[in-house]
């Protein structure tokens, strides 16, 4: 399910076309003091998660300690080999092992956590491990989340987009009155909001019955920004005066 389309920017303009008194002995032809346009503008953007964490669990219980360790070790080696073949960096894979004695047997358990930035590659790896290892490995549903860098990028983009929308609307207002937009005198970020998305956490609140696309949608982050800006109003050139 695609994220909802962002609502159109709402822009309000306030024009002050009455020129203020010019400094003694000097008049600026390009922009008269006091001629300003005041504009409010907004924007809303979304960002899909850029990381997924997959947890795999496997174990073995044998009468001999060596047999229990060997059974789990072989499967761990195959998981690591498969990850390397798909270009997963070693630092994106962590292994936790737990060895214990249960009654008259030895139990070896292991958990493998793999972090993916390519979700298509993630599906290929998981499908291959299920095909080759079957029920001897349990693969938990992926947990999608955003890195701090991805959230920072979303914040910057929504602010820049809001400023761009504000400038374009201010330009349209000036054109409506036969004026030309000048340089910005003030740009102020008035309000920012963020909602949705998952942070980098080992806990996932998603239900096991959700599809892959539903999990991605639920982890999508949204941000909105509203800005206030003041621009100069430049006097429009009289083209007839330039004719020979």
């Amino acid at each position: 399910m695609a994220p909802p389309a962002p609502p159109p920017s709402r822009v309000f303009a306030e024009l002050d076309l009455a020129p203020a008194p010019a400094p003694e002995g000097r008049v600026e032809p390009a922009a008269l003091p006091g001629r300003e346009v005041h504009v409010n503008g907004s924007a809303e953007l979304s960002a899909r998660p850029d990381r997924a964490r997959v947890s795999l669990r496997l174990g073995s219980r044998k009468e001999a300690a060596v047999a229990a360790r060997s059974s789990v070790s072989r499967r761990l080696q195959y998981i690591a080999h498969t990850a390397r073949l798909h270009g997963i960096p070693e630092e994106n894979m962590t292994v936790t092992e737990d060895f214990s004695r249960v009654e008259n047997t030895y139990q070896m358990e292991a958990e493998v956590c793999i972090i993916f930035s390519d979700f298509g590659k993630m599906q290929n790896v998981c499908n291959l491990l299920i095909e080759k290892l079957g029920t001897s490995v349990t693969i938990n549903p992926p947990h999608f989340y955003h890195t701090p860098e991805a959230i920072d990028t979303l914040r910057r983009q929504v602010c820049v987009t809001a400023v761009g929308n504000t400038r374009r609307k201010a330009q349209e207002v000036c054109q409506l009155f036969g004026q030309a937009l000048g340089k910005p005198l003030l740009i102020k970020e008035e309000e920012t909001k963020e909602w949705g998305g998952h942070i980098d956490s080992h806990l996932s609140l998603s239900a096991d019955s959700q599809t892959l696309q539903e999990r991605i949608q639920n982890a999508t982050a949204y941000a909105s920004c509203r800005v206030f800006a003041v621009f100069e109003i430049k006097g429009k050139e009289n083209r007839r005066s330039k004719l020979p």
Side-chain angles (χ1 to χ4, degrees), residues 15 28 40 46 74 80 92 98 150 155 211 244:
L15 289 175
E28 292 290 341
N40 286 329
S46 63
R74 287 195 302 270
N92 285 10
D98 180 62
R155 291 168 179 162
T211 66

Side-chain angles (χ1 to χ4, degrees), residues 44-154:
E44 180 179 313
L45 297 177
S46 63
R48 288 159 62 94
D50 62 325
R51 293 291 187 276
R53 180 186 293 105
V54 176
S55 174
L56 305 90
R57 296 179 180 274
L58 54 154
S60 177
R61 181 183 293 187
K62 304 287 185 180
E63 294 184 355
V66 174
R69 289 182 180 274
S70 176
S71 175
V72 172
S73 177
R74 287 195 302 270
R75 282 173 282 168
L76 287 176
Q77 290 175 2
Y78 181 78
I79 293 172
H81 175 71
T82 302
R84 284 194 299 270
L85 286 180
H86 286 80
I88 307 300
E90 291 186 6
E91 59 267 23
N92 285 10
M93 186 174 66
T94 59
V95 179
T96 304
E97 299 180 358
D98 180 62
F99 185 73
S100 60
R101 184 175 176 85
V102 180
E103 297 178 350
N104 295 326
T105 62
Y106 294 91
Q107 180 172 287
M108 181 70 180
E109 294 181 328
E111 180 182 15
V112 183
C113 289
I114 306 177
I115 296 177
F116 296 89
S117 57
D118 185 327
F119 300 159
K121 185 177 297 185
M122 174 194 70
Q123 288 182 283
N124 292 336
V125 171
C126 292
N127 291 341
L128 182 60
L129 293 178
I130 291 175
E131 177 184 349
K132 298 299 182 180
L133 299 181
T135 58
S136 66
V137 62
T138 300
I139 302 179
N140 294 323
H143 170 60
F144 296 97
Y145 64 95
H146 295 81
T147 58
E149 293 78 11
I151 295 296
D152 287 342
T153 298
L154 175 62

Side-chain angles (χ1 to χ4, degrees), residues 2-23:
S9 298
R10 293 179 295 176
V11 178
F12 307 93
E14 176 184 338
L15 289 175
D16 182 5
L17 299 179

Side-chain angles (χ1 to χ4, degrees), residues 182-199:
K183 65 182 179 181
L185 302 177
L186 172 69
I187 298 177
K188 179 182 179 182
E189 188 178 47
E190 290 195 322
E191 182 184 60
T192 58
K193 292 182 180 179
E194 298 176 14
W195 65 97
H198 294 159
I199 60 173

